[in-house]
mmCIF file of all heavy atoms in Angstrom:
data_model
loop_
_atom_site.group_PDB
_atom_site.id
_atom_site.type_symbol
_atom_site.label_atom_id
_atom_site.label_comp_id
_atom_site.label_asym_id
_atom_site.label_seq_id
_atom_site.Cartn_x
_atom_site.Cartn_y
_atom_site.Cartn_z
ATOM 1 N N PRO A 1202 11.194 -4.328 -12.125
ATOM 2 C CA PRO A 1202 11.410 -4.065 -10.702
ATOM 3 C C PRO A 1202 11.344 -5.315 -9.839
ATOM 4 O O PRO A 1202 10.543 -6.223 -10.077
ATOM 5 C CB PRO A 1202 10.266 -3.111 -10.345
ATOM 6 C CG PRO A 1202 9.170 -3.493 -11.287
ATOM 7 C CD PRO A 1202 9.841 -3.946 -12.559
ATOM 8 N N VAL A 1203 12.210 -5.345 -8.841
ATOM 9 C CA VAL A 1203 12.198 -6.375 -7.802
ATOM 10 C C VAL A 1203 12.118 -5.642 -6.463
ATOM 11 O O VAL A 1203 13.036 -4.912 -6.096
ATOM 12 C CB VAL A 1203 13.458 -7.251 -7.861
ATOM 13 C CG1 VAL A 1203 13.486 -8.230 -6.687
ATOM 14 C CG2 VAL A 1203 13.523 -8.008 -9.188
ATOM 15 N N VAL A 1204 11.015 -5.829 -5.745
ATOM 16 C CA VAL A 1204 10.765 -5.084 -4.510
ATOM 17 C C VAL A 1204 11.361 -5.837 -3.320
ATOM 18 O O VAL A 1204 10.928 -6.940 -2.991
ATOM 19 C CB VAL A 1204 9.256 -4.868 -4.297
ATOM 20 C CG1 VAL A 1204 9.009 -4.086 -3.006
ATOM 21 C CG2 VAL A 1204 8.641 -4.133 -5.486
ATOM 22 N N THR A 1205 12.357 -5.244 -2.687
ATOM 23 C CA THR A 1205 12.968 -5.853 -1.506
ATOM 24 C C THR A 1205 12.287 -5.424 -0.215
ATOM 25 O O THR A 1205 12.407 -6.118 0.797
ATOM 26 C CB THR A 1205 14.448 -5.486 -1.420
ATOM 27 O OG1 THR A 1205 14.577 -4.048 -1.355
ATOM 28 C CG2 THR A 1205 15.219 -6.000 -2.631
ATOM 29 N N ALA A 1206 11.602 -4.283 -0.247
ATOM 30 C CA ALA A 1206 10.921 -3.792 0.952
ATOM 31 C C ALA A 1206 9.957 -2.686 0.559
ATOM 32 O O ALA A 1206 10.194 -1.956 -0.416
ATOM 33 C CB ALA A 1206 11.917 -3.258 1.972
ATOM 34 N N VAL A 1207 8.897 -2.571 1.316
ATOM 35 C CA VAL A 1207 8.004 -1.413 1.233
ATOM 36 C C VAL A 1207 8.376 -0.504 2.392
ATOM 37 O O VAL A 1207 8.255 -0.898 3.560
ATOM 38 C CB VAL A 1207 6.532 -1.843 1.322
ATOM 39 C CG1 VAL A 1207 5.624 -0.614 1.374
ATOM 40 C CG2 VAL A 1207 6.159 -2.740 0.154
ATOM 41 N N THR A 1208 8.868 0.686 2.074
ATOM 42 C CA THR A 1208 9.221 1.625 3.138
ATOM 43 C C THR A 1208 8.141 2.689 3.258
ATOM 44 O O THR A 1208 7.578 3.141 2.251
ATOM 45 C CB THR A 1208 10.584 2.303 2.882
ATOM 46 O OG1 THR A 1208 10.469 3.233 1.799
ATOM 47 C CG2 THR A 1208 11.659 1.269 2.572
ATOM 48 N N VAL A 1209 7.842 3.050 4.483
ATOM 49 C CA VAL A 1209 6.875 4.108 4.774
ATOM 50 C C VAL A 1209 7.693 5.352 5.090
ATOM 51 O O VAL A 1209 8.278 5.471 6.170
ATOM 52 C CB VAL A 1209 5.971 3.721 5.961
ATOM 53 C CG1 VAL A 1209 4.933 4.802 6.213
ATOM 54 C CG2 VAL A 1209 5.302 2.372 5.696
ATOM 55 N N GLN A 1210 7.785 6.260 4.125
ATOM 56 C CA GLN A 1210 8.669 7.415 4.262
ATOM 57 C C GLN A 1210 7.948 8.711 3.943
ATOM 58 O O GLN A 1210 7.041 8.752 3.110
ATOM 59 C CB GLN A 1210 9.863 7.308 3.294
ATOM 60 C CG GLN A 1210 10.845 6.215 3.594
ATOM 61 C CD GLN A 1210 12.111 6.374 2.774
ATOM 62 O OE1 GLN A 1210 12.804 7.394 2.880
ATOM 63 N NE2 GLN A 1210 12.431 5.378 1.965
ATOM 64 N N THR A 1211 8.398 9.758 4.587
ATOM 65 C CA THR A 1211 8.133 11.123 4.164
ATOM 66 C C THR A 1211 9.470 11.699 3.712
ATOM 67 O O THR A 1211 10.496 11.017 3.747
ATOM 68 C CB THR A 1211 7.572 11.960 5.328
ATOM 69 O OG1 THR A 1211 8.603 12.114 6.324
ATOM 70 C CG2 THR A 1211 6.362 11.291 5.961
ATOM 71 N N ASP A 1212 9.483 12.951 3.322
ATOM 72 C CA ASP A 1212 10.759 13.575 2.973
ATOM 73 C C ASP A 1212 11.646 13.757 4.189
ATOM 74 O O ASP A 1212 12.850 13.982 4.053
ATOM 75 C CB ASP A 1212 10.522 14.940 2.315
ATOM 76 C CG ASP A 1212 9.979 14.802 0.905
ATOM 77 O OD1 ASP A 1212 10.265 13.772 0.265
ATOM 78 O OD2 ASP A 1212 9.272 15.713 0.444
ATOM 79 N N ALA A 1213 11.077 13.640 5.383
ATOM 80 C CA ALA A 1213 11.833 13.920 6.603
ATOM 81 C C ALA A 1213 12.197 12.693 7.414
ATOM 82 O O ALA A 1213 13.094 12.753 8.256
ATOM 83 C CB ALA A 1213 11.034 14.886 7.497
ATOM 84 N N ALA A 1214 11.526 11.554 7.197
ATOM 85 C CA ALA A 1214 11.769 10.423 8.090
ATOM 86 C C ALA A 1214 11.317 9.115 7.471
ATOM 87 O O ALA A 1214 10.415 9.076 6.628
ATOM 88 C CB ALA A 1214 11.034 10.629 9.417
#
Side-chain angles (χ1 to χ4, degrees):
V1203 175
V1204 180
T1205 59
V1207 174
T1208 71
V1209 182
Q1210 292 192 60
T1211 67
D1212 287 333

